Amino acid sequence: MKSIISIGLYLNTKPSKGGTYQYTLSIIKALNSFVGESFSVTVFYHNNAWEKILPGKFLKVYYHKSIIRKGLSKFYKSIDRSSKGYIRFAKFFNPIIKSIDKSDCGLVIFPNQDVQAYQTKKKSLVSIHDLMHRYEPHFEEYANSVFDLREMHYKNICKYSSGILVDSEVGKQHVLESYHKDARNIFVLKFVPPHILLESKLIDIRGKYNLPDEFIFYPAQFWQHKNHENLIKAIKILKDKGHPIHLVLVGSKKNYYSKIIQLIETLKLSDNISILGYVSNDELFSLYKEALALVFVSLIGPTNIPPLEAMLLNCPVIVSNKYAMPEQVGSAGLLVDPLNPSDIAEKIEKIYFDKLLRQSLINEGIKKNNTWTQENFNKTLYDIITFLLCK
């Protein structure tokens, strides 16, 4: 009789939008495909909102964080992460780590690059989504103590984890040259198009937000590195040329939001830009379906989820030529220098007025998505897990 291989999955966040959430859903879908005669999956989580998302075949270990425990956890986070005590006392501040260590899991997956990944005694497979604090340290979001905290955190992940998941070969190279993790234990598991969007319904997005018939779309939180500034300057260039192209922005208000609002007012572009804030899945789906193009001008990567979402929903793509983003879209996107507003304006103008080009990019996007599917993702993750369990 075959022995059952038990895999753990730790979910320390609440279900939400964003790249990490989409990546977690892909991992959940992959693990669900493994469950059967040979595999079982146990999920350890703090937020009961996951109950509606987790497959019924998974074993579930839920732990409620009390107010006292949250306070102790906050104090614990203030301890020097380089100290041995930080790891030694983890079980007291987060008893779910004790549950993980007592479980029969041969390997635990941490898709959200959590500190708990280096607190458990179990073999761990941990995502590192980016090390941009090292490669783009000038951004405000990495200022003050953020850089040092990220640095210590990723050093610990690389020191104590059994394996690292990255989104691209560029991401793998970053881990290698930053923390000298053994290359054999760094695995490329690329983002897969989030098919959950296909379950959404098309709504009258123009009517709801009073949008014009034609618009371009950029979904990104208002961090400095998302580069809204140069995109808005490109919209100004186009307006001055007699092309008042409309831009729709969605995303949470982060550190650069007020500066972007001020720039829009200074350039007198309030009538050319709609800022919708947080949007539902149906709204996001409808924006992709109705937009003439996604214009993704982020300055960091290595890769990002929105270009995949756009290609999945037949929305033409303009994307930054930074890091692994050109590799991610291939011939399915127009590459742009995100630091050059004139280049951004030129590419927007090109795609805006050329219907045949838009259709060509849509066709290439379909081909590109077909080269890396959820099934490819599942098989790759399966191979990674079995490799680590055999070590």
Side-chain angles (χ1 to χ4, degrees), residues 9 11 25 27-33 35 41 43 50-60:
L9 177 66
L11 303 176
L25 290 181
I27 288 175
I28 289 172
K29 187 173 285 191
L31 292 175
N32 192 42
S33 74
V35 175
V41 175
V43 186
W50 283 105
E51 289 284 353
K52 296 178 180 179
I53 298 169
L54 295 171
K57 293 184 289 186
F58 287 7
L59 301 173
K60 303 176 182 70

Side-chain angles (χ1 to χ4, degrees), residues 124-231:
S124 60
L125 177 60
V126 193
S127 299
I128 290 184
H129 296 300
D130 74 81
L131 296 176
M132 289 295 115
H133 68 288
R134 279 181 151 257
Y135 295 89
E136 304 284 353
H138 54 281
F139 289 127
E140 285 186 10
E141 41 267 42
Y142 305 135
N144 301 321
S145 61
V146 174
F147 180 96
D148 293 334
L149 285 173
R150 284 175 65 97
E151 188 68 3
M152 187 58 64
H153 177 56
Y154 293 120
K155 279 183 179 178
N156 279 343
I157 285 178
C158 289
K159 180 178 180 180
Y160 293 104
S161 65
S162 306
I164 301 291
L165 294 175
V166 294
D167 65 351
S168 60
E169 291 295 336
V170 172
K172 181 173 183 175
Q173 185 59 37
H174 284 178
V175 175
L176 277 171
E177 63 192 20
S178 297
Y179 305 120
H180 310 295
K181 182 76 173 178
D182 188 334
R184 294 171 295 180
N185 296 323
I186 306 172
F187 307 96
V188 177
L189 186 64
K190 296 183 291 186
F191 294 136
V192 72
H195 285 78
I196 190 172
L197 269 181
L198 295 177
E199 301 171 9
S200 304
K201 65 180 180 180
L202 190 67
I203 64 173
D204 180 13
I205 198 71
R206 292 187 182 87
K208 182 168 185 176
Y209 290 108
N210 193 29
L211 301 178
D213 290 340
E214 296 180 331
F215 60 88
I216 58 173
F217 180 42
Y218 184 34
Q221 299 182 78
F222 285 81
W223 294 111
Q224 183 186 10
H225 70 255
K226 291 300 184 183
N227 195 35
H228 292 82
E229 183 176 357
N230 283 325
L231 177 55

Side-chain angles (χ1 to χ4, degrees), residues 307 310-311 315-319 326-335 351 357-358 360-369:
M311 290 188 291
C315 178
V317 173
I318 297 173
V319 68
E327 171 194 338
Q328 185 180 30
V329 300
S331 58
L334 292 184
L335 299 183
I351 207 169
L357 173 61
R358 294 200 300 272
S360 174
L361 292 173
I362 289 171
N363 294 340
E364 291 298 316
I366 294 171
K367 293 178 187 176
K368 184 67 175 176
N369 273 341

Side-chain angles (χ1 to χ4, degrees), residues 232-245:
I232 288 165
K233 288 177 181 178
I235 295 298
K236 172 62 173 173
I237 291 171
L238 291 166
K239 183 178 180 180
D240 290 345
K241 289 181 66 175
H243 306 314
I245 293 172

